Amino acid sequence: MPGKTFAEKIFGADAGSIVFASPDIILSHDNTASIYSTFKKMGGESPLNPDAILITLDHNAPPTNSKLANDYQTIRDFAGKFGIRKFHDVGEGICHQLMALYARPKMIIVGSDSHTSTAGAFNAFAAGIDRTETAGLWKQGETWFRVPDTMKITLHGKLPEGVFSKDLALWVIGMIGSSGADYMSIEYHGNGVQSLSIADRMVLSNLASEMGAKNAVFPADAILSEYLEEEADGMWADQDANYIKEITINLAQLFPVVAAPHHVDNVKALSEVQGTKIQQALVGTCTNGRLEDLREAAAILNGKHIPRFMQLLVIPASREIYMQAMREGLITTFIEAGANVLTSSCGPCLGTGQGIPADGYNVISTANRNFKGRMGNPSSNVYLASPATVAISALNGEITDPRGKNFNDIYPHHIPQSATVDIPEGEERYHSGTWNYADVDNLNTDQMFAGNLTYNVQSSEPEKILPYLFKGFDDTFAERVKPGDIIMAGANFGCGSSREHPAVGLSHAGVKAVICKSVNRIFYRSSVNQGLPIILLPEAVDTFKHGDHVKIDFSEGIVSVAGKEFRFAPLPSKLMEIFQAKGLINYVKNR
């Protein structure tokens, strides 16, 4: 009998099993106001386990308009009324950094944010969920998990000078693609793990979301024990565990890389894009706003000044980090170099708050996503890189190698890049009740519902979401979508943020189903929770031609495309109950 992976051990079941479990920590942030509204719709009066709830105000902190300010006050009132002790107000930090105060080995952690996986650095099983599911957890304390298959990544050696954990994370994404670890757990093994600090491990766990993974996890070793200042009593996979995929990387062979616009897996050697002019740079976010990152950037900027008209933003990941950076003189270094140091928040990463780029800007950032429009302006371009690369590039006004000279590296892996598709005005994508997006891979949640609207319209307000659906992608969709319509789409549908607005809006519009080649894990959960069926039938999508008549028979599990039939597997019975109740809100309320 084969051994067990970390995920199989944590849930006590084999990969592929559906289990119900009660998380140790349930994270939410600015979206808590929307979650509270949904919680009340479910018939919730007081949370079942207030001590499991962790709330931070970070995504639009400080609030940028009166509506957000009122939402923040609603959240404060909620935290006070129900005795939420793990509450962190504006400026205290970004949720995934503050999670480091609470995450411990062997915990199950969920959060209404796709980068909840960051807590895997602490030997916890940590995964993103959506807002509706978070509300359900407040009320009933447990949720369903599909025990994931596991990918094993073995690291040997040590990173060379000028190469950092961000380079390693992007390297892996470039190897396997943005859906290469779809619905998988990632375990990091090998002697190379011992060369990675907890900050490094948080970067790698954070970016697991950009590989499509459910979670990533590191062992509870001496490095974690030293960080926690106590013996890390952890859990780890058996030596003979069964892995669906294995990758081995020699860290010494790596060199600096970037993710070029407009996909995170569009990875290139820094050498291949060096010299590209930039107008804005960002050091910070939940990926790279730790003290180690600020030290690296400050060492490069010390005694120097960025060029005229260059915009450099620095965002410490927490107030604690901000204060330590002040004590060490790093903040002075940044300001003297011409940077703007912002409060600890998400801000420009998702196109809210300060730092939205102008038209035509090339931005180099330590953030985790570079989708078109991600930073709030679809007419800008975002490159992702390490803090050292960002700092040296800001000094030179162009993408520059932090190793101090030009190299001729060539990134050895090449993932075919799907085009960033925009539907031109006048191009017809609707016929016979079917929306034809079969040629669109990686249709992300920012294209379905703009990130800068996320906190202006709550996910619990479906009628307000509908007018904004797919705006900037297919501007005719929101006005013409009808009950009973079907959407045909390509691979990795719904990737990106855990934003559930698109699923809420599509369900409210009465969309009968989405038929696609593959789907992002969190978007799939959101769709289940909203009663919106997602059917995975790549062969049906490949067969479909614009104008074909599409029919779905849920009882028989058949999709018909122009008369040709394709069969799909029915959902587990417990999930079918959610569909039959027209979504998780009614399901929980009826129970």
PDB file of all heavy atoms in Angstrom, residues 408-420:
ATOM      1  N   ASN A 408      23.578  36.853 -21.531  1.00  0.00           N
ATOM      2  CA  ASN A 408      22.846  36.389 -22.719  1.00  0.00           C
ATOM      3  C   ASN A 408      22.073  35.112 -22.406  1.00  0.00           C
ATOM      4  O   ASN A 408      22.061  34.167 -23.193  1.00  0.00           O
ATOM      5  CB  ASN A 408      23.820  36.159 -23.882  1.00  0.00           C
ATOM      6  CG  ASN A 408      24.463  37.450 -24.336  1.00  0.00           C
ATOM      7  OD1 ASN A 408      23.764  38.405 -24.667  1.00  0.00           O
ATOM      8  ND2 ASN A 408      25.787  37.490 -24.329  1.00  0.00           N
ATOM      9  N   ASP A 409      21.436  35.098 -21.246  1.00  0.00           N
ATOM     10  CA  ASP A 409      20.661  33.923 -20.840  1.00  0.00           C
ATOM     11  C   ASP A 409      19.451  33.753 -21.749  1.00  0.00           C
ATOM     12  O   ASP A 409      18.862  34.730 -22.227  1.00  0.00           O
ATOM     13  CB  ASP A 409      20.172  34.082 -19.394  1.00  0.00           C
ATOM     14  CG  ASP A 409      21.314  34.345 -18.416  1.00  0.00           C
ATOM     15  OD1 ASP A 409      22.329  33.636 -18.503  1.00  0.00           O
ATOM     16  OD2 ASP A 409      21.167  35.261 -17.584  1.00  0.00           O
ATOM     17  N   ILE A 410      19.060  32.521 -21.947  1.00  0.00           N
ATOM     18  CA  ILE A 410      17.840  32.192 -22.678  1.00  0.00           C
ATOM     19  C   ILE A 410      17.021  31.259 -21.795  1.00  0.00           C
ATOM     20  O   ILE A 410      17.501  30.185 -21.399  1.00  0.00           O
ATOM     21  CB  ILE A 410      18.130  31.493 -24.023  1.00  0.00           C
ATOM     22  CG1 ILE A 410      19.010  32.390 -24.912  1.00  0.00           C
ATOM     23  CG2 ILE A 410      16.823  31.138 -24.735  1.00  0.00           C
ATOM     24  CD1 ILE A 410      18.337  33.650 -25.377  1.00  0.00           C
ATOM     25  N   TYR A 411      15.800  31.667 -21.460  1.00  0.00           N
ATOM     26  CA  TYR A 411      14.954  30.809 -20.631  1.00  0.00           C
ATOM     27  C   TYR A 411      14.634  29.529 -21.419  1.00  0.00           C
ATOM     28  O   TYR A 411      14.160  29.610 -22.562  1.00  0.00           O
ATOM     29  CB  TYR A 411      13.676  31.543 -20.229  1.00  0.00           C
ATOM     30  CG  TYR A 411      12.787  30.739 -19.321  1.00  0.00           C
ATOM     31  CD1 TYR A 411      13.191  30.414 -18.031  1.00  0.00           C
ATOM     32  CD2 TYR A 411      11.537  30.290 -19.753  1.00  0.00           C
ATOM     33  CE1 TYR A 411      12.384  29.665 -17.197  1.00  0.00           C
ATOM     34  CE2 TYR A 411      10.724  29.546 -18.924  1.00  0.00           C
ATOM     35  CZ  TYR A 411      11.156  29.227 -17.641  1.00  0.00           C
ATOM     36  OH  TYR A 411      10.350  28.478 -16.827  1.00  0.00           O
ATOM     37  N   PRO A 412      14.881  28.354 -20.828  1.00  0.00           N
ATOM     38  CA  PRO A 412      14.819  27.116 -21.611  1.00  0.00           C
ATOM     39  C   PRO A 412      13.439  26.506 -21.797  1.00  0.00           C
ATOM     40  O   PRO A 412      13.296  25.526 -22.531  1.00  0.00           O
ATOM     41  CB  PRO A 412      15.710  26.158 -20.797  1.00  0.00           C
ATOM     42  CG  PRO A 412      15.562  26.636 -19.380  1.00  0.00           C
ATOM     43  CD  PRO A 412      15.417  28.131 -19.463  1.00  0.00           C
ATOM     44  N   HIS A 413      12.438  27.036 -21.142  1.00  0.00           N
ATOM     45  CA  HIS A 413      11.101  26.438 -21.228  1.00  0.00           C
ATOM     46  C   HIS A 413      10.164  27.414 -21.936  1.00  0.00           C
ATOM     47  O   HIS A 413      10.227  28.622 -21.717  1.00  0.00           O
ATOM     48  CB  HIS A 413      10.565  26.108 -19.836  1.00  0.00           C
ATOM     49  CG  HIS A 413      11.515  25.315 -19.001  1.00  0.00           C
ATOM     50  ND1 HIS A 413      11.741  23.971 -19.200  1.00  0.00           N
ATOM     51  CD2 HIS A 413      12.326  25.685 -17.982  1.00  0.00           C
ATOM     52  CE1 HIS A 413      12.633  23.536 -18.327  1.00  0.00           C
ATOM     53  NE2 HIS A 413      13.009  24.558 -17.576  1.00  0.00           N
ATOM     54  N   HIS A 414       9.285  26.869 -22.742  1.00  0.00           N
ATOM     55  CA  HIS A 414       8.398  27.736 -23.516  1.00  0.00           C
ATOM     56  C   HIS A 414       6.975  27.183 -23.488  1.00  0.00           C
ATOM     57  O   HIS A 414       6.681  26.159 -24.094  1.00  0.00           O
ATOM     58  CB  HIS A 414       8.891  27.869 -24.958  1.00  0.00           C
ATOM     59  CG  HIS A 414      10.246  28.498 -25.057  1.00  0.00           C
ATOM     60  ND1 HIS A 414      10.450  29.850 -24.926  1.00  0.00           N
ATOM     61  CD2 HIS A 414      11.471  27.949 -25.238  1.00  0.00           C
ATOM     62  CE1 HIS A 414      11.743  30.114 -25.022  1.00  0.00           C
ATOM     63  NE2 HIS A 414      12.387  28.983 -25.217  1.00  0.00           N
ATOM     64  N   ILE A 415       6.122  27.863 -22.761  1.00  0.00           N
ATOM     65  CA  ILE A 415       4.700  27.528 -22.706  1.00  0.00           C
ATOM     66  C   ILE A 415       4.002  28.308 -23.824  1.00  0.00           C
ATOM     67  O   ILE A 415       4.140  29.534 -23.909  1.00  0.00           O
ATOM     68  CB  ILE A 415       4.089  27.918 -21.348  1.00  0.00           C
ATOM     69  CG1 ILE A 415       4.760  27.127 -20.218  1.00  0.00           C
ATOM     70  CG2 ILE A 415       2.580  27.699 -21.354  1.00  0.00           C
ATOM     71  CD1 ILE A 415       4.522  25.651 -20.261  1.00  0.00           C
ATOM     72  N   PRO A 416       3.271  27.636 -24.710  1.00  0.00           N
ATOM     73  CA  PRO A 416       2.532  28.377 -25.744  1.00  0.00           C
ATOM     74  C   PRO A 416       1.616  29.418 -25.106  1.00  0.00           C
ATOM     75  O   PRO A 416       0.838  29.099 -24.200  1.00  0.00           O
ATOM     76  CB  PRO A 416       1.730  27.280 -26.460  1.00  0.00           C
ATOM     77  CG  PRO A 416       2.478  26.012 -26.177  1.00  0.00           C
ATOM     78  CD  PRO A 416       3.061  26.180 -24.807  1.00  0.00           C
ATOM     79  N   GLN A 417       1.728  30.648 -25.531  1.00  0.00           N
ATOM     80  CA  GLN A 417       0.967  31.732 -24.933  1.00  0.00           C
ATOM     81  C   GLN A 417      -0.351  31.949 -25.673  1.00  0.00           C
ATOM     82  O   GLN A 417      -0.373  32.101 -26.894  1.00  0.00           O
ATOM     83  CB  GLN A 417       1.780  33.022 -24.960  1.00  0.00           C
ATOM     84  CG  GLN A 417       2.967  33.003 -24.030  1.00  0.00           C
ATOM     85  CD  GLN A 417       2.557  32.925 -22.582  1.00  0.00           C
ATOM     86  OE1 GLN A 417       1.796  33.754 -22.081  1.00  0.00           O
ATOM     87  NE2 GLN A 417       3.047  31.905 -21.899  1.00  0.00           N
ATOM     88  N   SER A 418      -1.435  31.923 -24.908  1.00  0.00           N
ATOM     89  CA  SER A 418      -2.720  32.261 -25.505  1.00  0.00           C
ATOM     90  C   SER A 418      -2.799  33.772 -25.651  1.00  0.00           C
ATOM     91  O   SER A 418      -2.272  34.515 -24.822  1.00  0.00           O
ATOM     92  CB  SER A 418      -3.871  31.767 -24.623  1.00  0.00           C
ATOM     93  OG  SER A 418      -3.799  32.341 -23.333  1.00  0.00           O
ATOM     94  N   ALA A 419      -3.427  34.212 -26.699  1.00  0.00           N
ATOM     95  CA  ALA A 419      -3.568  35.648 -26.925  1.00  0.00           C
ATOM     96  C   ALA A 419      -4.515  36.240 -25.889  1.00  0.00           C
ATOM     97  O   ALA A 419      -5.425  35.583 -25.400  1.00  0.00           O
ATOM     98  CB  ALA A 419      -4.116  35.896 -28.325  1.00  0.00           C
ATOM     99  N   THR A 420      -4.273  37.500 -25.533  1.00  0.00           N
ATOM    100  CA  THR A 420      -5.225  38.226 -24.702  1.00  0.00           C
ATOM    101  C   THR A 420      -6.315  38.737 -25.635  1.00  0.00           C
ATOM    102  O   THR A 420      -6.105  39.692 -26.394  1.00  0.00           O
ATOM    103  CB  THR A 420      -4.539  39.389 -23.975  1.00  0.00           C
ATOM    104  OG1 THR A 420      -3.499  38.865 -23.136  1.00  0.00           O
ATOM    105  CG2 THR A 420      -5.541  40.149 -23.116  1.00  0.00           C
TER     106      THR A 420
END
